Amino acid sequence: MFTVTSATRVLVATTPVDLRGSFNRLYSLVVEQLKGDPLSGHLFVFTNGRRNRLKVLYWDGSGLWVCAKRLEKGKFTWPVSEEGRVDLRSEQFSALIHGLESAGEKELVSSLKNLNRN
């Protein structure tokens, strides 16, 4: 699928979006909301209002990927930002997509924010 290295940027939209859209809709959200380049090779992550689904838009050099995940129980612990976006490191992204809530939602969101500042 895709490889997340230390050089890969992961941009997360902190505002929920309508995930019924696919390539074109996510592409425009990357440009307009995240102020990113969808063809950069970085990962762009979106969630729905319930935070039980996410989609990732990724350019692999020859085409765009849209990857989706739906949690059967619970919800994703989503970062918060007044800017509407957050940059995550690879380990933060891994925790996010695996739906980890073991530390409690407030503590995990707080730790994601603190790691992002460093």
Side-chain angles (χ1 to χ4, degrees):
M1 193 166 30
F2 48 79
T3 304
V4 181
T5 67
S6 59
T8 306
R9 249 179 110 192
V10 179
L11 287 132
V12 177
T14 57
T15 305
V17 299
D18 182 354
L19 292 181
R20 290 177 290 180
S22 192
F23 296 94
N24 294 337
R25 177 69 179 133
L26 295 177
Y27 189 102
S28 68
L29 287 169
V30 168
V31 172
E32 296 166 12
Q33 184 177 339
L34 300 179
K35 308 295 184 214
D37 176 9
L39 306 180
S40 64
H42 299 306
L43 304 178
F44 301 95
V45 188
F46 303 90
T47 190
N48 62 344
R50 291 183 182 169
R51 294 187 313 180
N52 66 341
R53 297 171 191 248
L54 66 74
K55 282 190 177 179
V56 178
L57 184 70
Y58 170 68
W59 172 259
D60 71 357
S62 65
L64 285 169
W65 286 77
V66 174
C67 304
K69 181 169 183 173
R70 177 186 71 204
L71 292 178
E72 294 301 322
K73 289 194 267 183
K75 59 185 178 178
F76 291 103
T77 302
W78 213 253
V80 178
S81 170
E82 292 179 13
E83 298 171 6
R85 68 181 192 160
V86 171
D87 286 284
L88 297 183
R89 295 194 315 244
S90 60
E91 64 271 13
Q92 293 171 303
F93 174 65
S94 179
L96 179 76
I97 64 172
H98 288 98
L100 297 180
E101 294 184 85
S102 59
E105 186 171 333
K106 289 182 181 177
E107 291 83 359
L108 187 53
V109 169
S110 176
S111 72
L112 285 172
K113 286 167 80 174
N114 289 336
L115 285 172
N116 194 40
R117 290 182 188 148
N118 297 332

